[in-house]
Amino acid sequence: MIVAKRAPAYNFYGNTDTGLTLRWGKTMEENPLRAPWPELADISISNHCTKGCGFCYRGSGDNGSFMPLESYESVLDALTSPVYGSVFQVALGGGEPLEHPAFLDILKATAERGIAANFTTNGELVDRSLAAALDGLVGAAAISTNWMSGYDPRKAVVLADSGIKVNLHFVLSKESLQDAIGLLEGKFNRLLEGVNGVVFLTYKPKGRALAQSCLSMNDSRFKEFISKISLNSCRAKIGFDACFVPLLLRYTSVDADYVDSCECGFFSIYIDELGNASPCSFANDGRYRFNLSAYSMNQIWNNCFEAYREEMLSVKCADEICANAEHCRGKCSFYEQISFCCT
Ligand SMILES: C[S@@+](CC[C@H](N)C(=O)[O-])C[C@H]1O[C@@H](n2cnc3c(N)ncnc32)[C@H](O)[C@@H]1O
């Protein structure tokens, strides 16, 4: 399905079958500062997970709460504007989405509204029968890990065989750096069958994730990892989360035209299982959390988030030797620990 949205100085085109999206401003050369309505909603459908990953920023456990199907449908309704229609896509997380008893109904409700659904999983419940049930309901899935010895390569193959694009979400911390270097060196290529891309996620110290495991520029292995990005031998594509963008711009030869700054609160929104909306799932600041029972999506997106946007745009890179300073939106204002090249 093709989705097109237009507003003064904002144009969006998306294809829910391929996942291709294009965005431009008044002209193709201009980038809009923000969307008049979110393009993507990152939705935690529970805070329930029985795996207990030590890196989990949500601290999800086996007694976490679920977002009921009816509440999920209300969230999708709230995300539908009379002017711009619905969001283009949802990224379903948690908790563990596959442990949600109504996960398939959630996917069906999403598809009925013409919204593309993606999800992230710890992979534990992935098998052939689940993959068959997901057929046609999911665009892409991401499997999370932080160590390759604990990664089961059969999970990606099973999903890929059902036509689902699979990415590996590799959480990059002090402890996982060695495997991350190995991924760039191609040492784990035999484990990456069925994997479209490896996305390195900057470890954020929240929930069970501890500050002492955050990356540090004083760690020579982190510098080694960065030095291997441009000429990597990984058989899958590699990508990075938005928190990594300042580092890519400052220390690699990556073309700045292919790098997007953080989209949180500008093009995407996060909603947790209790209906709290905030610009980013990692936001650790209650000032930017608004419950959908108290505010309309229009109020949240077009009024409440303005103070957040002003704060984000006021952060400027002060690095005079960075050739890409003009392309960089600067550090994340939520976590000082992951500000590696801006002060
Ligand atoms: C909290 S998980 C929940 C979904 C699912 N249970 C999973 O394991 O992917 C949502 C996303 O956050 C990422 N994540 C978890 N803890 C993180 C952390 N401390 N820093 C950065 N990303 C993290 C995961 O890799 C995943 O992409």
Side-chain angles (χ1 to χ4, degrees):
M1 187 173 125
I2 304 297
V3 176
K5 298 174 197 294
R6 292 188 67 120
Y10 172 82
N11 294 278
F12 176 87
Y13 163 96
N15 183 331
T16 54
D17 298 323
T18 62
L20 174 78
T21 59
L22 298 169
R23 183 198 301 137
W24 65 100
K26 234 182 250 161
T27 66
M28 285 300 241
E29 283 69 42
E30 274 178 32
N31 268 328
L33 177 65
R34 74 170 178 96
W37 194 254
E39 295 166 2
L40 178 150
D42 179 358
I43 307 177
S44 279
I45 56 173
S46 81
N47 196 15
H48 178 96
C49 179
T50 53
K51 190 170 181 190
C53 300
F55 59 77
C56 181
Y57 79 92
R58 295 226 59 214
S60 302
D62 57 10
N63 58 359
S65 55
F66 293 92
M67 179 187 279
L69 174 62
E70 302 68 43
S71 306
Y72 178 75
E73 289 176 318
S74 302
V75 168
L76 292 188
D77 291 342
L79 283 165
T80 304
S81 148
V83 182
Y84 302 107
S86 64
V87 289
F88 170 72
Q89 59 183 320
V90 291
L92 302 175
E96 172 52 39
L98 298 183
E99 289 183 12
H100 196 300
F103 186 56
L104 289 178
D105 292 324
I106 282 175
L107 292 179
K108 284 177 194 149
T110 312
E112 276 161 16
R113 289 164 167 82
I115 301 171
N118 308 311
F119 70 98
T120 65
T121 175
N122 58 35
E124 296 287 296
L125 294 180
V126 171
D127 60 18
R128 292 250 167 236
S129 75
L130 175 92
L134 296 179
D135 195 10
L137 292 173
V138 169
I143 302 176
S144 296
T145 192
N146 69 338
W147 61 309
M148 293 311 289
S149 314
Y151 170 70
D152 181 348
R154 293 169 300 182
K155 307 289 181 170
V157 173
V158 161
L159 290 170
D161 283 351
S162 275
I164 297 169
K165 194 187 265 187
V166 185
N167 291 316
L168 194 64
H169 274 186
F170 190 89
V171 182
L172 192 58
S173 68
K174 208 178 261 178
E175 285 78 26
S176 66
L177 259 178
Q178 208 54 49
D179 277 5
I181 292 169
L183 278 162
L184 294 185
E185 289 174 338
K187 284 190 181 146
F188 298 111
N189 278 350
R190 73 198 148 78
L191 299 180
L192 297 181
E193 193 189 332
V195 174
N196 164 68
V198 177
V199 183
F200 293 99
L201 305 179
T202 318
Y203 180 94
K204 262 79 76 185
K206 192 176 179 221
R208 277 195 294 275
L210 304 174
Q212 68 209 43
S213 294
C214 283
L215 298 163
S216 158
M217 283 308 266
N218 296 327
D219 186 335
S220 59
R221 290 170 316 147
F222 190 29
K223 289 188 180 138
E224 184 186 349
F225 172 78
I226 294 168
S227 73
K228 294 197 159 154
I229 291 172
S230 301
L231 285 176
N232 75 84
S233 303
C234 184
R235 76 182 261 187
K237 289 183 261 188
I238 64 158
F240 295 86
D241 64 2
C243 316
F244 211 85
V245 163
L247 279 174
L248 287 180
L249 292 174
R250 171 75 174 81
Y251 294 109
T252 73
S253 55
V254 94
D255 185 339
D257 282 344
Y258 292 100
V259 176
D260 275 332
S261 290
C262 179
E263 305 212 326
C264 297
F266 289 80
F267 298 97
S268 65
I269 190 164
Y270 170 69
I271 298 164
D272 73 13
E273 65 282 356
L274 304 175
N276 295 306
S278 42
C280 165
S281 61
F282 296 106
N284 52 8
D285 189 332
R287 282 183 301 150
Y288 302 128
R289 194 179 306 127
F290 305 93
N291 196 277
L292 281 168
S293 60
Y295 300 87
S296 73
M297 187 56 69
N298 188 41
Q299 281 173 310
I300 294 173
W301 187 255
N302 290 311
N303 299 102
C304 303
F305 279 8
E306 279 300 277
Y308 160 83
R309 293 184 187 117
E310 273 169 32
E311 186 178 332
M312 290 297 139
L313 294 173
S314 70
V315 180
K316 283 275 170 268
C317 180
D319 191 338
E320 284 166 13
I321 43 170
C322 180
N324 280 319
E326 64 169 309
H327 300 290
C328 187
R329 272 246 308 276
K331 65 181 182 178
C332 167
S333 65
F334 292 129
Y335 295 98
E336 205 49 53
Q337 298 95 328
I338 58 165
S339 303
F340 303 113
C341 69
C342 321
T343 46

